[in-house]
C-alpha cells in the first residue's frame, strides 16, 4: 500500500497543469455535446470509453451524420495515428508493469505520454505505479470535465462556434512546456520541420500521417544521436 501511496504522491504534481487544461477542455466538449442535443450520458460515456479528445470532438459530427462505419474507422485511424508512434516509444517503459500495462495502453493520451516519457521519477518510486497514476489521474480529469460541461450545458447556453480551438491551444502549451524543460531541442525541431514539409506537400487535411512517418524515418536514421539528447 505504501508503494502505491508514494507513487500517487509523486505522480500527482505532474498532472496538476493537465488537470486545469483537461477540465477546461472537457467542459468545452460537454457544452458542445449539450448544444447538439445530446444527453449527459453521451459525453460521460464517450470521455470514459473513447478517451481521445480530438476524436471525441470529431465524433460529435459523426453521430449527427449518416452512418458510415468505414469512413469513421479511417477517420479515427488518421486522427489518432500518432499514438502508434507513442506506443512504440513506450514499449520499454511498459515492460514489467504487469496487468497495469493494458490500462496504460488504453489510457495513453498526448498529455500522459508527455509526462510518462519525460518525467524524472524519484528514486524509490515504483515506475509501473507512477505511470499508472499519471494515466488514471488524467483520465479522471477528462471525464470530470466532460461531465461537468454536459451538466452545465443543460443549465446555461452560449455560442459554441470556434470552441474546438482549445485543443490547438492545449497542444501548444504542452509543446512550449517541453521546450522550456529541455536544453536540446533537436527532437522538437525535427517534429516541426517534418510537419511543415508534410503540410506543404499534402495539405492541411492529409498531412498528419505523412508527417508522423517522416518523423519516424528521421528518428530511426539518427537514432543513436537522438538517444543521447
Amino acid at each position: 500500500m505504501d508503494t502505491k501511496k508514494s507513487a500517487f504522491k509523486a505522480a500527482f504534481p505532474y498532472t496538476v497543469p493537465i488537470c486545469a487544461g483537461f477540465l477546461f477542455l472537457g467542459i468545452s466538449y460537454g457544452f458542445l455535446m449539450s448544444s447538439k442535443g445530446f444527453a449527459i450520458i453521451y459525453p460521460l460515456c464517450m470521455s470514459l470509453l473513447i478517451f481521445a479528445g480530438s476524436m471525441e470532438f470529431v465524433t460529435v459530427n459523426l453521430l449527427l451524420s449518416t452512418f458510415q462505419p468505414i469512413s469513421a474507422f479511417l477517420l479515427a485511424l488518421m486522427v489518432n495515428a500518432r499514438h502508434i508512434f507513442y506506443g512504440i516509444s513506450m514499449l520499454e517503459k511498459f515492460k514489467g508493469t504487469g496487468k497495469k500495462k493494458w490500462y496504460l495502453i488504453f489510457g495513453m493520451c498526448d498529455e500522459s505520454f508527455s509526462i510518462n516519457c519525460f518525467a524524472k521519477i524519484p528514486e524509490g518510486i515504483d515506475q509501473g505505479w507512477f505511470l499508472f497514476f499519471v494515466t488514471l489521474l488524467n483520465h479522471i480529469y477528462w471525464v470530470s470535465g466532460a461531465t461537468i460541461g454536459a451538466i452545465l450545458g443543460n443549465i446555461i447556453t452560449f455560442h459554441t462556434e470556434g470552441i474546438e480551438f482549445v485543443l490547438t491551444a492545449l497542444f501548444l502549451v504542452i509543446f512550449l512546456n517541453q521546450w522550456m524543460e529541455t536544453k536540446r531541442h533537436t527532437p522538437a525541431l525535427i517534429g516541426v520541420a517534418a510537419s511543415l514539409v508534410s503540410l506543404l506537400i499534402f495539405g492541411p487535411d492529409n498531412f498528419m500521417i505523412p508527417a508522423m512517418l517522416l518523423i519516424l524515418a528521421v528518428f530511426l536514421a539518427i537514432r543513436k544521436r537522438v538517444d543521447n539528447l
Side-chain angles (χ1 to χ4, degrees):
M1 191 64 181
D2 290 338
T3 300
K4 295 179 183 178
K5 285 184 177 180
S6 299
F8 178 85
K9 290 180 180 179
F12 178 71
Y14 282 95
T15 68
V16 172
I18 307 301
C19 177
F22 268 22
L23 286 178
F24 177 75
L25 185 61
I27 289 173
S28 302
Y29 169 66
F31 265 112
L32 179 63
M33 288 289 287
S34 179
S35 71
K36 299 296 183 180
F38 290 98
I40 296 173
I41 191 66
Y42 279 87
L44 191 160
C45 290
M46 288 170 62
S47 59
L48 179 65
L49 301 175
I50 298 177
F51 191 40
S54 53
M55 190 59 210
E56 289 178 48
F57 276 91
V58 173
T59 303
V60 177
N61 290 326
L62 290 178
L63 291 173
L64 295 173
S65 61
T66 305
F67 181 59
Q68 297 178 320
I70 296 178
S71 297
F73 171 77
L74 293 175
L75 181 60
L77 180 63
M78 182 179 67
V79 171
N80 294 294
R82 64 190 183 280
H83 291 281
I84 297 174
F85 307 102
Y86 292 170
I88 292 173
S89 66
M90 294 298 288
L91 288 176
E92 287 297 322
K93 283 204 170 186
F94 285 177
K95 282 185 178 179
T97 56
K99 293 181 179 179
K100 295 187 291 295
K101 176 172 62 178
W102 301 107
Y103 178 69
L104 292 173
I105 293 171
F106 163 76
M108 187 176 61
C109 60
D110 300 88
E111 295 74 18
S112 295
F113 166 77
S114 176
I115 295 174
N116 287 336
C117 187
F118 297 104
K120 296 180 179 179
I121 302 175
E123 186 176 350
I125 299 299
D126 183 90
Q127 177 173 286
W129 283 112
F130 179 90
L131 302 178
F132 174 82
F133 283 121
V134 166
T135 305
L136 178 63
L137 286 167
N138 287 339
H139 196 178
I140 291 173
Y141 301 150
W142 177 250
V143 175
S144 299
T147 305
I148 292 171
I151 294 172
L152 293 177
N154 283 276
I155 301 174
I156 56 178
T157 58
F158 70 99
H159 192 51
T160 59
E161 183 179 356
I163 200 172
E164 296 88 348
F165 182 74
V166 291
L167 275 171
T168 304
L170 181 60
F171 291 151
L172 180 59
V173 170
I174 292 171
F175 175 82
L176 292 175
N177 183 60
Q178 290 183 359
W179 181 278
M180 291 186 292
E181 287 185 353
T182 57
K183 294 181 179 180
R184 299 183 179 181
H185 308 301
T186 302
L189 292 173
I190 290 173
V192 172
S195 299
L196 288 175
V197 170
S198 299
L199 178 63
L200 292 173
I201 296 175
F202 298 99
D205 296 327
N206 303 300
F207 82 99
M208 184 175 293
I209 293 179
M212 290 296 178
L213 292 174
L214 180 57
I215 291 171
L216 179 61
V218 174
F219 280 167
L220 288 175
I222 61 172
R223 182 177 179 180
K224 291 183 179 180
R225 291 181 59 188
V226 172
D227 288 340
N228 294 325
L229 295 179

